[in-house]
Amino acid sequence: MATVMEFTSPAAEFPLGTVFETLPTVTVELERLIPHETVIIPYFWVRGAEATDIEAAFKSHEGTNDIELVDSVEQEYLMRVEWDREYVGILTALAETNLVVLSGVGTADGWEFEVRGEERAEISEFRSYCQDHEIPITITAVHSLLPIHGEGYELTDAQQEALVLAFERGYFDSPRTTSLEEIADELGITQQSLSSRLRRGHRRLIDATLMPE
C-alpha cells in the first residue's frame, strides 16, 4: 500500500541548504529529483536572491558537479544541479530507496519534506538508511494513501484535514474570511507545510476528477 511520510531536517543537512549560509533569506523548493547511476539531478525553484548569487552559493559545495539556470519567472529561478551520488545525505537516501518526493521546501530555519513510497517497506528502508548514515531527520507524520469515499482520490489524512478545514473556515471564499497563518496555527503546522498540503491535495483532486484517463 502506498504510504506518505512527512519529515523535517536541519537546513545544512540537505545539500541544497548550503545556499542559506550566504543567502539566509532565500526559499528553496524542490521541483523533482532524477537519480542516475553516478549522479543525482535535483531541479528546484529558488526565490529571494539573484540567479548569479544562487549559482555562486551552490558551486562552492563539495558534492556539486554542475549547476545551471533552466528558467525564470519574475523573481523565481528554476535551477538544475548535478550532484555526486557518492556524497552521502538526504538526496542520496531518497535516490537509494526510490522514494518519490512530493514536496520539499527549505529556508534557513530548516527543511520540510513530503515523500511517497509505493510500499511501506520503502519508507522503513529510508528511515534505516538515515539512521545508519547518521542523517538527522525528524518524522512528523506517516499516512497510508487510501481512497476518499471510494472514489480513488488518494488524499492523505493530512491533506484531507487541511482542505476541509480551509473550506470550513472560508479560505476559498471571496473575499476570504481566514488566512493561511490562522489555519496553520489551528493545525499546529507551519504555513509552508499547510501550503504544500493544499497544493498537493488540489493536484490529486484535479488529476482524479478533471484529467482524462
Side-chain angles (χ1 to χ4, degrees):
M1 181 180 294
T3 302
V4 171
M5 179 177 68
E6 298 175 32
F7 68 92
T8 62
S9 185
E13 291 300 326
F14 190 63
L16 301 180
T18 55
V19 70
F20 304 129
E21 296 175 6
T22 54
L23 302 171
T25 61
V26 305
T27 298
V28 179
E29 183 167 0
L30 197 61
E31 174 74 12
R32 64 184 183 273
L33 191 66
I34 303 175
H36 289 279
E37 185 174 345
T38 58
V39 297
I40 302 169
I41 302 177
Y43 286 77
F44 55 94
W45 290 94
V46 184
R47 51 184 177 272
E50 295 298 324
T52 53
D53 295 333
I54 296 166
E55 291 177 341
F58 282 121
K59 283 180 179 178
S60 63
H61 196 283
E62 180 182 351
T64 303
N65 293 335
D66 185 40
I67 181 170
E68 66 175 283
L69 175 65
V70 178
D71 196 6
S72 63
V73 180
E74 296 181 351
Q75 297 300 310
E76 296 188 12
Y77 304 97
L78 179 63
M79 317 291 291
R80 174 189 183 275
V81 174
E82 286 191 6
W83 213 272
D84 190 341
R85 191 159 184 155
E86 294 183 359
Y87 185 89
V88 175
I90 292 177
L91 273 179
T92 312
L94 292 168
E96 291 292 332
T97 54
N98 297 314
L99 293 184
V100 176
V101 179
L102 300 177
S103 67
V105 178
T107 67
D109 295 326
W111 284 87
E112 298 179 355
F113 287 94
E114 183 183 16
V115 299
R116 185 186 74 235
E118 295 306 317
E119 301 291 340
R120 201 175 185 91
E122 294 175 347
I123 298 292
S124 298
E125 184 181 352
F126 173 79
R127 294 171 63 179
S128 297
Y129 186 99
C130 290
Q131 290 174 351
D132 294 343
H133 293 83
E134 298 183 347
I135 302 171
I137 64 170
T138 300
I139 297 172
T140 55
V142 178
H143 317 279
S144 294
L145 275 178
L146 297 173
I148 301 301
H149 302 311
E151 297 294 338
Y153 296 161
E154 290 195 335
L155 294 174
T156 66
D157 293 340
Q159 289 165 353
Q160 183 184 14
E161 180 185 35
L163 285 167
V164 169
L165 186 61
F167 180 84
E168 292 177 342
R169 297 293 183 267
Y171 181 73
F172 301 117
D173 293 347
S174 182
R176 287 175 174 166
T177 57
T178 189
S179 65
L180 276 180
E181 181 179 7
E182 290 171 327
I183 298 170
D185 287 344
E186 189 168 346
L187 291 172
I189 60 177
T190 67
Q191 291 184 58
Q192 290 173 343
S193 290
L194 174 60
S195 178
S196 176
R197 290 180 188 182
L198 292 176
R199 184 172 64 253
R200 299 296 170 180
H202 285 151
R203 182 173 181 177
R204 286 178 181 154
L205 288 173
I206 292 169
D207 184 55
T209 58
L210 299 179
M211 301 304 295
E213 296 183 359

